Amino acid sequence: MKGFSAPAILTISLLGLVLMLTGCGKPDVGLTNGRFSPCPDSPNCVSSMAASPKHAIEPIAYEGRRDSAKQVMRSVIESMKRSRIISDSENYIHAEFRSFIFRFVDDVELFFPENTGVIHMKSASRTGYSDFGVNRKRLEEIRRRFQSSRLRSE
């Protein structure tokens, strides 16, 4: 390849190989009978509905009205870098988060069951195997921002 250095060619080739091996990644999102799809065996997914300890995370508890909690959560997601809300219904939000450099997509799902005072959450990478804990850290940051916003609004 004329005009490219050997390290650049190697980097581009390795990136292409990684993308071929991991696929493009179609999101497995949405609720079925009030449940998220299960996390895969890979360590790049966390869910408050997961039975496996390596994938489990606590849901977010809240007091008050569901629609108020949902509006606060929507504001939290919109305030975060490289986030985009894909769908928003009465009891569910699906958002995408893109990584800074390679623009990999992680799907975040939030479920607001009626009369429970909890928000179930899931964050999963579309591609690859490991996420180096990014999905868990993201959900904990969402929890922190949600709780902080709720305190300020009371």
Side-chain angles (χ1 to χ4, degrees):
M1 294 174 139
K2 189 175 180 182
F4 289 96
S5 67
I9 292 170
L10 179 61
T11 301
I12 292 168
S13 299
L14 287 174
L15 180 58
L17 179 62
V18 166
L19 291 175
M20 285 186 334
L21 292 175
T22 59
C24 293
K26 182 178 178 223
D28 187 12
V29 297
L31 296 170
T32 303
N33 298 323
R35 308 264 320 154
F36 299 132
S37 62
C39 284
D41 289 335
S42 57
N44 60 0
C45 175
V46 291
S47 172
S48 61
M49 295 182 177
S52 163
K54 72 179 182 179
H55 294 117
I57 191 167
E58 288 295 314
I60 299 172
Y62 70 91
E63 293 182 12
R65 296 176 13 169
R66 175 174 72 169
D67 59 337
S68 298
K70 194 166 161 289
Q71 186 56 45
V72 169
M73 182 60 77
R74 188 177 170 83
S75 296
V76 165
I77 298 298
E78 290 171 340
S79 74
M80 297 178 76
K81 291 181 180 179
R82 297 177 302 283
S83 68
R84 180 170 71 124
I85 293 179
I86 302 303
S87 65
D88 182 354
S89 66
E90 181 182 7
N91 65 354
Y92 176 81
I93 295 173
H94 169 219
E96 288 180 352
F97 285 79
R98 292 193 179 267
S99 66
F100 178 64
I101 295 178
F102 292 114
R103 314 301 286 168
F104 293 130
V105 178
D106 294 339
D107 291 289
V108 170
E109 297 179 88
L110 302 156
F111 174 45
F112 302 77
E114 194 170 17
N115 301 320
T116 62
V118 299
I119 304 166
H120 283 285
M121 54 188 177
K122 178 182 176 186
S123 185
S125 302
R126 283 192 194 169
T127 59
Y129 181 77
S130 178
D131 68 345
F132 304 102
V134 168
N135 284 297
R136 183 174 298 280
K137 289 175 191 166
R138 177 182 298 113
L139 291 185
E140 291 300 350
E141 177 64 14
I142 288 171
R143 178 194 315 277
R144 186 192 67 71
R145 289 181 184 212
F146 176 83
Q147 291 169 338
S148 176
S149 294
R150 292 285 289 184
L151 289 174
R152 283 194 307 266
S153 67
E154 291 177 355

